[in-house]
């Protein structure tokens, strides 16, 4: 009886370590599937650029606002995704960049369409050149999309993307 118990225990221990080994192999085989997206955090409510935007645009409801120097001038700019009512289209979602100026003021880019829900912003210096690229992603009714932008001549320019027309 003791021999049977030892054999069962050995088999259970071997099965446990074998399952751990197989799980680790699977994890190493598919690292892209487990790669987590790291989104920029929402700025605090008292962020100066956010407060200025909200004071100038009280009709716009801010959904997401993330800060980074995207103009390569050492000043933090603010990317703002907001919703507002449009008389012809109903509720719309847009992205605007609040560009920080040396005197402490802000200028704004022309609004561009933004994802309707589950919005995220990532900052990546993809080409390792001057301006920081930013990735805007999100969904609309389950359709996902993203676009990679760079500031060119004071406006966000779409460099590459997929599915944005379905989620904006």
């Amino acid at each position: 009886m003791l021999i049977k118990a030892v054999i069962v225990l050995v088999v259970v221990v071997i099965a446990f370590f074998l399952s751990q080994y197989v799980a680790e192999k699977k994890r190493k085989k598919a690292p892209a599937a487990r790669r987590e997206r790291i989104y920029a955090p929402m700025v605090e409510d008292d962020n100066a650029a956010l407060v200025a935007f909200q004071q100038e645009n009280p009709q716009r409801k801010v959904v997401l606002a993330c800060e980074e120097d995207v103009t390569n001038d050492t000043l933090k700019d603010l990317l703002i995704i907001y919703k507002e009512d449009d008389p012809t289209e109903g509720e719309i979602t847009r992205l605007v960049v609040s560009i920080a100026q040396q005197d402490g003021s802000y200028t704004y880019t022309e609004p561009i369409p933004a994802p309707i829900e589950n919005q995220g912003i990532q900052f990546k210096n993809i080409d390792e050149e001057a301006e920081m690229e930013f990735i805007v992603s999100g969904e609309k009714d389950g359709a996902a999309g993203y676009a990679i932008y760079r500031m060119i001549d004071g406006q966000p320019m779409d460099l590459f993307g997929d599915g944005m027309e379905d989620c904006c």
Side-chain angles (χ1 to χ4, degrees), residues 28-133:
K28 285 183 179 179
K29 239 182 196 178
R34 293 191 47 121
R35 193 175 308 151
E36 290 184 39
R37 293 186 184 105
I38 300 174
Y39 293 107
M42 174 79 170
V43 296
E44 297 294 325
D45 291 340
D46 63 350
N47 176 282
L50 179 59
V51 169
F53 177 81
Q54 290 174 320
Q55 287 175 346
E56 292 179 41
N57 303 280
Q59 77 284 8
R60 295 177 173 169
K61 180 183 171 224
V62 174
V63 175
L64 181 62
C66 303
E67 190 176 52
E68 183 61 62
D69 178 12
V70 295
T71 55
N72 196 37
D73 61 1
T74 71
L75 300 173
K76 295 284 186 179
D77 306 301
L78 191 65
L79 279 68
I80 305 165
I81 296 177
Y82 65 88
K83 291 183 181 288
E84 74 176 324
D85 288 323
D86 182 271
T88 58
E89 297 181 50
E91 186 177 71
I92 59 172
T93 307
R94 298 290 184 255
L95 167 75
V96 69
V97 180
S98 173
I99 303 171
Q101 304 299 307
Q102 292 292 339
D103 66 2
S105 66
Y106 304 94
T107 59
Y108 302 101
T109 62
E110 289 296 318
I112 59 174
I116 303 299
E117 52 199 28
N118 298 324
Q119 302 90 345
I121 297 174
Q122 294 174 287
F123 298 103
K124 303 262 186 205
N125 193 345
I126 296 169
D127 60 2
E128 298 182 11
E129 295 293 326
E131 281 85 8
M132 176 76 68
E133 288 79 28

